[in-house]
Amino acid sequence: MKIDVGNGIDFIGDIHACYDEFIELLNKLNYQPNKYGLYIHPHGRKIVSLGDVMSRGPQSIKCMQFFLSHVNAGLAYMIDSNHGWKIARWLMGRNVQLRHGDEKVEEEFREYEKLNGVKETAKLKEDIKELLINSPSHYIFTVNGENQVVCAHAGIRDDFIGKENNRIKNFCRYGDVSRMDERGKPIRKDWYKFHEGNLLIIWGHDPKREPLIENNTINIDQGAVFGGKLTCFRYPENEFVFVKASKNYSGKVGEDNPIHR
């Protein structure tokens, strides 16, 4: 799907249920809530999430509700992602194992149902499911009709840009995974080393202590849920804006924490 850059785009890295940090970042970017609770930028900028707005952290439902309301209002966009796809399948009733922080989403929904009842919870689950399953693998952003920027959760190959099928969706969700190590963790190929051309690719998924800028690609997942930073990349200004996480919400320390290796 192609979107005109318009008055500017604010790309947000993996939020992972760090709702307070996300709202702090929006305030820093000068978004302001209107009387309906929708965050509006005075210059008409739009928010783009690189996915994984939920899981691992403390407030998944609030994050998903935010994007549900803002996507529906035309104020934000959100792309598909690995955790988003897992939660979508769970909400569809598929037999999936909720691990790696996804189980926290189920716990939140149990508490939500206690407070709000079965009917309201079922409605919210259905709405969020529709949002997640309809999120595209990537977006292309244009200026004066010319392609300038692509965003994909875990990256994208040049020959996949502008196309959509299951193979492309999986690549954009998980990256170029070659195999699993002895601990069951994915070993990824550095797809960005093979990127050619002038299109800027913005991605997340693989947390780095600082933005990784290489070969006209930028990784903006700085591991907020692991105690790092939540990152915004502002386009066309090509500026970074960060908010430091209040704490390490993940429980991962030492070698298990990707930003402290």
Side-chain angles (χ1 to χ4, degrees):
M1 183 182 295
K2 292 189 178 185
I3 300 169
D4 187 85
V5 167
N7 293 323
I9 301 292
D10 293 315
F11 295 95
I12 311 292
D14 300 35
I15 300 169
H16 274 306
C18 297
Y19 182 77
D20 291 343
E21 286 82 354
F22 174 53
I23 296 301
E24 182 181 347
L25 181 58
L26 292 184
N27 290 332
K28 202 169 182 178
L29 294 167
N30 203 26
Y31 285 82
Q32 300 160 6
N34 66 12
K35 63 180 181 179
Y36 304 108
L38 296 171
Y39 279 76
I40 311 290
H41 196 278
H43 299 145
R45 300 179 69 87
K46 299 289 182 70
I47 302 163
V48 176
S49 163
L50 295 191
D52 279 3
V53 304
M54 75 297 287
S55 304
R56 295 192 187 276
Q59 298 184 84
S60 286
I61 290 179
K62 278 191 173 183
C63 287
M64 290 188 287
Q65 286 175 315
F66 179 97
F67 281 96
L68 180 63
S69 61
H70 286 72
V71 169
N72 287 342
L75 298 169
Y77 303 94
M78 186 180 75
I79 53 176
D80 191 17
S81 58
N82 58 312
H83 285 274
W85 180 233
K86 174 67 74 71
I87 296 303
R89 286 181 290 147
W90 174 68
L91 292 172
M92 291 165 67
R94 301 284 178 84
N95 184 23
V96 296
Q97 290 186 325
L98 296 182
R99 299 182 298 172
H100 307 298
D102 292 319
E103 68 278 4
K104 292 185 177 182
V105 179
E106 184 178 29
E107 293 166 8
E108 278 195 49
F109 269 113
R110 278 200 295 264
E111 292 303 313
Y112 186 92
E113 187 173 299
K114 289 177 185 177
L115 294 172
N116 299 283
V118 173
K119 186 176 180 180
E120 185 173 328
T121 304
K123 175 66 166 59
L124 179 60
K125 284 182 173 181
E126 179 66 21
D127 290 344
I128 289 174
K129 180 197 75 175
E130 289 300 311
L131 172 69
L132 294 174
I133 65 174
N134 289 313
S135 296
S137 65
H138 63 289
Y139 278 115
I140 301 170
F141 293 87
T142 65
V143 176
N144 297 324
E146 296 293 324
N147 297 347
Q148 299 293 330
V149 182
V150 177
C151 70
H153 178 63
I156 188 167
R157 280 176 20 184
D158 289 357
D159 58 322
F160 288 168
I161 294 172
K163 303 172 185 176
E164 191 81 297
N165 58 40
N166 287 336
R167 183 184 177 198
I168 293 169
K169 287 179 179 179
N170 280 328
F171 189 101
C172 292
R173 288 169 186 149
Y174 304 104
D176 195 357
V177 178
S178 58
R179 59 187 176 87
M180 310 299 280
D181 67 14
E182 66 279 358
R183 300 175 66 187
K185 292 185 177 182
I187 297 175
R188 302 183 182 96
K189 297 178 182 177
D190 294 335
W191 60 270
Y192 49 87
K193 294 184 183 296
F194 306 99
H195 173 49
E196 297 178 351
N198 295 322
L199 276 179
L200 172 63
I201 300 178
I202 303 173
W203 60 293
H205 181 64
D206 188 8
K208 314 289 184 185
R209 191 183 295 247
E210 299 293 339
L212 175 66
I213 304 173
E214 187 169 337
N215 211 22
N216 211 23
T217 72
I218 306 174
N219 173 292
I220 60 167
D221 179 6
Q222 276 59 73
V225 77
F226 299 107
K229 299 178 289 191
L230 185 59
T231 301
C232 169
F233 180 73
R234 308 183 78 222
Y235 188 86
E237 296 83 356
N238 294 331
E239 297 173 352
F240 293 101
V241 180
F242 304 100
V243 164
K244 181 75 175 69
S246 298
K247 60 182 288 187
N248 175 1
Y249 299 99
S250 71
K252 293 184 178 295
V253 296
E255 287 296 310
D256 288 329
N257 188 319
I259 66 166
H260 294 302
R261 290 173 185 162

